[in-house]
Amino acid sequence: MSLQTIQTPLAPAPLGHYAQGVLANGILYVSGQLPFDPATGTLPLGIEAQARQVLRNLLAIVEAAGGTRASITQVQVFIPDIAHWPAVNTIYSDVMGDHRPARTVVPTRELHHGALVEVNAIAHIH
């Protein structure tokens, strides 16, 4: 099996011992992404801005691996308060358009660095 580390400056650099993504036999595993702006290193204010940023980060990693939005087969969304879900779902729907990957939404306790949303994903890259 061949493993390829995926790294792009268009998504935040890992803050720990992990890769943004790992491509293995055509399957891309995207690590949990927080909504940091990769250009400034800051978290946008508010759930809507964070939801848009975290999905931009996710798509940047998928594209760096040679995929597109349509390559994404599964997404997990973590939010510290289920009250954020309507806003996140609206932004997610706008970003994903007609593409509907399998999805899990997990209400959690607080997220790292005070983020309001985190996502990870699996994509098939051909």
Side-chain angles (χ1 to χ4, degrees):
M1 172 167 55
S2 168
L3 296 178
Q4 179 185 352
T5 299
I6 303 300
Q7 185 77 21
T8 178
L10 300 177
L15 297 175
H17 188 74
Y18 64 94
Q20 290 174 333
V22 174
L23 185 60
N25 296 327
I27 301 174
L28 175 65
Y29 300 90
V30 179
S31 294
Q33 296 299 304
L34 293 173
F36 283 99
D37 180 321
T40 66
T42 61
L43 282 174
L45 297 177
I47 188 61
E48 292 88 358
Q50 286 195 22
R52 284 198 188 285
Q53 184 63 58
V54 81
L55 292 170
R56 275 194 296 269
N57 296 345
L58 168 64
L59 290 173
I61 296 165
V62 170
E63 291 167 2
T68 67
R69 170 186 351 263
S71 305
I72 301 170
T73 56
Q74 195 255 346
V75 177
Q76 291 182 321
V77 180
F78 302 90
I79 50 177
D81 185 339
I82 198 66
H84 293 310
W85 181 238
V88 172
N89 191 52
T90 297
I91 302 298
Y92 182 92
S93 177
D94 288 347
V95 170
M96 290 297 181
D98 291 336
H99 182 56
R100 294 177 178 250
R103 182 180 70 189
T104 303
V105 177
V106 182
T108 67
R109 297 180 68 132
E110 63 275 353
L111 295 170
H112 205 43
H113 302 290
L116 299 175
V117 62
E118 181 173 355
V119 299
N120 65 26
I122 299 172
H124 284 77
I125 310 297
H126 301 284

